[in-house]
Amino acid sequence: MKADTLHLKRMKKWYGGALVASLFMLLVLRYGVIKNAVEESYLTNPFSSNGTNPLEWVRFTAPPAVQNPETASQVISIDTIAFSLFAQRNLSKGEQESLLTWDLLKHLINHSQALPNGVEAIKEAGSAWNSLMALMEEEKLGYADDNSTRKTKEKQCPHFLNKVNATDSDKSHYKLRVPCGLTQGSSITIIGIPNGLLGNFRIDLTGEALPGEPDPPIILHYNVRLHGDKVTEDPVIVQNTWTIAHDWGEEERCPPPTPDKNKKVDELDQCNKLVGKDNNRTVSMHSHGSRRSSMGLQGVKSRRYFPFKQGSLFVATLRVGSEGIQMTVDGKHVTSFAYRETLEPWLVSEVRIFGDIKLISVLASGLPTSEDSDHTVDLEELKSVPLSRQRPVELFIGVFSTANNFKRRMAVRRTWMQYPEVRSGTVAVRFFVGLHKNHIVNEELWNEAQTYGDIQLMPFVDYYSLITWKTLAICTFGTEVVSAKFV
């Protein structure tokens, strides 16, 4: 009897465990079915054989019913971004041509953590896209009544900016707004005199602050310390970056504490090897009075070379290269600073100069500026040939480009895009461009896309680390949109 009771208890425990396990398996299967159904609805190919408008399939639905509690807030935020990026817009057929791969890249949102800064790039794109679409709607509503709005926007991106007598008597700093960022070949020239008690000053190239953030990122922090700091008593230049997410980066000092770590940027030294070394001046010895000359030289102390000196005028130029930013002072290369992740030069929006310095002038030149299409003589020849579903494309060429590289795209349009194969439509060419955090750049980019018809906009903000996504977009366009033999 006792053995039967014990056996019964064991059987109850076994049945209870089996019941719990069965319920658990049912929950897992239910979650899998729901998840697959949602993903299938997200990834449906919009370019099906029915020939419908490629943008009409976008009907953003509610977030998945089942979420992982640990990532619930992140899933909601990503879904909100998806809604702002892929919600149906009142766009004309011509405007839709610049978004042919936009919806095909929608699944990137589900894999945005796979690449560095992927989540940030999509979030920033959501804000930029909403601002651009709101601006376009306003322009459509008021364009028929007043053409003056369009006229005032033609020169939003000037080729150069300058300011003479930059220092105000009541200010210890100066700011120069750079409306459309910098590009390779851009330069900022500063003429000034270190003054005050210490003569220390700094130059900051800052980007756009995101909504809700008090301070913008610093793409280059160039700090001149004429009397040293906690590390050294000698004059030193410290270069760095700052973001609200990662704080200060790793300092780069000139002269460096360990000379063997002097890297190359654009084939130029990170710090000129002359900086911090003795500047021995050779004095010619004449036959007469040679003893007096040699005695006089014994009292002359060798001075260390440093490009900035308190009370002395300097001309310093920051130049944007392909790998980093170079600084020359009085015509001599002094420092180089390699670009850091997500802190590229096209994101610069302001030059800030602080400290003990009397500014004579500030000049920004070689800035990205858009083409004035109203005065372009060969405009019709520069427009791309429209794509045709009936005519096969032999070769598709996708070109990586950034939003404010207006002049480089125009150079391509006027050179090899004029080959007969391109003009006949046998070869198709498109620029693949991400959005910009600057609304002026996005507006100019949108107008350029509608004018020339050869730009494909990406649903993320341009960062170099996301070039993989552009490669994916080019392959998608070449196979899904134009069905080219070669890409």
Side-chain angles (χ1 to χ4, degrees), residues 400-412:
F400 297 127
S401 186
T402 51
N404 66 352
N405 259 332
F406 310 113
K407 290 297 181 185
R408 289 197 167 198
R409 287 191 289 274
M410 290 306 302
V412 174

Side-chain angles (χ1 to χ4, degrees), residues 193-359:
I193 303 172
N195 61 4
L197 184 63
L198 297 175
N200 295 341
F201 66 94
R202 71 182 189 269
I203 305 165
D204 288 348
L205 304 183
T206 63
E208 293 281 354
L210 292 175
E213 294 183 358
D215 299 307
I218 301 177
I219 294 163
L220 172 62
H221 171 74
Y222 198 90
N223 197 331
V224 178
R225 303 169 182 172
L226 293 181
H227 296 276
D229 53 17
K230 295 179 180 180
V231 178
T232 179
E233 295 181 356
D234 296 322
V236 67
I237 299 168
V238 178
Q239 299 181 99
N240 208 339
T241 56
W242 180 89
T243 62
I244 198 168
H246 302 102
D247 204 52
W248 290 103
E250 183 180 353
E251 282 189 349
E252 295 181 12
R253 302 173 71 86
C254 180
T258 52
D260 57 324
K261 292 186 178 181
N262 199 354
K263 302 176 183 177
K264 295 277 188 180
V265 181
D266 288 319
E267 299 184 0
L268 294 169
D269 286 332
Q270 198 173 28
C271 176
N272 192 317
K273 294 175 182 177
L274 293 176
V275 178
K277 289 193 174 182
D278 291 340
N279 187 12
N280 295 317
R281 298 180 179 179
T282 58
V283 180
S284 60
M285 302 291 290
H286 298 283
S287 58
H288 60 280
S290 59
R291 184 178 179 184
R292 183 181 301 174
S293 299
S294 62
M295 288 176 64
L297 283 171
Q298 291 176 3
V300 176
K301 293 183 178 179
S302 61
R303 287 169 40 179
R304 293 178 179 274
Y305 169 71
F306 195 73
F308 302 99
K309 182 182 176 183
Q310 197 164 3
S312 296
L313 182 76
F314 69 83
V315 180
T317 300
L318 287 167
R319 189 176 301 278
V320 178
S322 60
E323 299 176 4
I325 299 174
Q326 322 294 335
M327 169 68 93
T328 60
V329 181
D330 299 332
K332 183 181 292 185
H333 171 261
V334 176
T335 59
S336 300
F337 186 79
Y339 304 129
R340 293 181 177 176
E341 199 171 83
T342 74
L343 297 171
E344 285 103 359
W346 49 83
L347 299 174
V348 172
S349 62
E350 198 168 56
V351 181
R352 299 181 178 184
I353 305 169
F354 304 84
D356 296 334
I357 181 174
K358 179 184 178 182
L359 282 176

